[in-house]
Amino acid sequence: MDDAPSFDTSFRDELERLFRWRRDVRHFRPDPIDASVIEELVGLASLAPSVGYSQPWRFVTVDEPERRRAVRENFVARSRDALETYEGERAGLYASLKLAGLDDAPVQIAVFVDDETETGHGLGRKTMPETLPYSVVMAVHTLWLAARAQGIGVGWVSILDPEAIKAILEVPETWSLVAYLCVGYPETEEDQPELLRRGWEETDEAARAVLKR
């Protein structure tokens, strides 16, 4: 096509910067985000590739205080369970981490896959059905990058019971939770993952060093 875009070195350099500064944000400012901005981000997310053009993603904004409170309670309970699986130094570090921005993020979005969507007529997923949720992950990542390009941070909360979240949000039975996102303006800008800065992997390195002895 004559109007096909050409991306120059400057653009590619900026794209790399976007990748590097895309962080999993857990510390948010309370500043509100206009609903039109969220609609724009979801629209951009829907440009993500999907198996057989199925577009199986379903975005649900969580605004009601009661539902948010129930989600947070589930997170606290599941995080307590996870803490019990660690010991010693790692348990202490886990307990000190802020693992979600549920108290601060002005926007919360649950992202589901419609497991029985008829869009796409099953093309490309009969032998690899997992490509359906993979497509939703692509949409989540696209939203994440689009948000970061506008100075908006995203945090993925995975310490949740998916079935409990489905019940809290009263979504169709054919939907499965893929991601629960906190969205807002970050308190600080960082180009390194928080877990790396806090030494989560260094604990592993220390353990391996002990074993080598």
Side-chain angles (χ1 to χ4, degrees):
M1 293 177 61
D2 293 338
D3 59 349
S6 176
F7 301 109
D8 59 17
T9 301
S10 176
F11 176 86
R12 292 194 295 271
D13 289 344
E14 286 299 291
L15 183 60
E16 180 181 345
R17 288 186 64 210
L18 177 62
F19 290 157
R20 293 187 181 280
W21 283 89
R22 192 271 331 136
R23 296 272 61 86
D24 189 353
V25 178
R26 301 185 182 100
H27 303 268
F28 295 93
R29 305 199 316 257
D31 312 43
I33 299 177
D34 193 272
S36 64
V37 174
I38 300 302
E39 290 179 7
E40 178 185 351
L41 294 179
V42 171
L44 291 171
S46 297
L47 296 176
S50 62
V51 61
Y53 199 60
S54 56
Q55 297 188 302
W57 40 75
R58 305 291 182 260
F59 293 87
V60 178
T61 56
V62 185
D63 300 321
E64 296 178 12
E66 296 80 6
R67 296 188 197 271
R68 285 194 175 195
R69 184 161 46 250
V71 170
R72 188 185 185 284
E73 289 173 355
N74 186 263
F75 165 78
V76 170
R78 299 292 75 78
S79 184
R80 188 183 303 116
D81 293 341
L83 177 59
E84 294 178 356
T85 67
Y86 297 112
E87 297 179 350
E89 178 184 357
R90 185 168 297 282
L93 180 55
Y94 179 93
S96 72
L97 293 172
K98 183 175 183 181
L99 298 172
L102 294 169
D103 292 330
D104 310 314
V107 177
Q108 296 181 22
I109 304 174
V111 190
F112 295 87
V113 57
D114 185 348
D115 294 309
E116 296 186 9
T117 181
E118 295 182 1
T119 306
H121 307 288
L123 178 65
R125 63 179 190 264
K126 294 188 182 298
T127 52
M128 294 183 64
E130 63 270 23
T131 53
L132 208 60
Y134 289 173
S135 299
V136 178
V137 172
M138 293 292 290
V140 169
H141 190 240
T142 302
L143 182 147
W144 209 320
L145 293 175
R148 185 64 190 85
Q150 296 196 37
I152 297 171
V154 176
W156 187 325
V157 185
S158 61
I159 308 174
L160 294 168
D161 179 343
E163 290 302 315
I165 302 306
K166 281 181 60 174
I168 291 168
L169 300 183
E170 299 181 285
V171 300
E173 280 301 314
T174 60
W175 294 11
S176 298
L177 182 69
V178 172
Y180 194 94
L181 306 176
C182 292
V183 182
Y185 295 102
E187 282 188 348
T188 60
E189 300 286 359
E190 302 287 349
D191 64 348
Q192 289 189 329
E194 182 172 354
L195 291 179
L196 180 62
R197 301 196 310 272
R198 293 291 305 276
W200 183 254
E201 289 303 310
E202 291 175 7
T203 306
D204 277 339
E205 292 175 4
R208 285 194 290 269
V210 171
L211 289 174
K212 287 179 180 178
R213 296 193 187 111

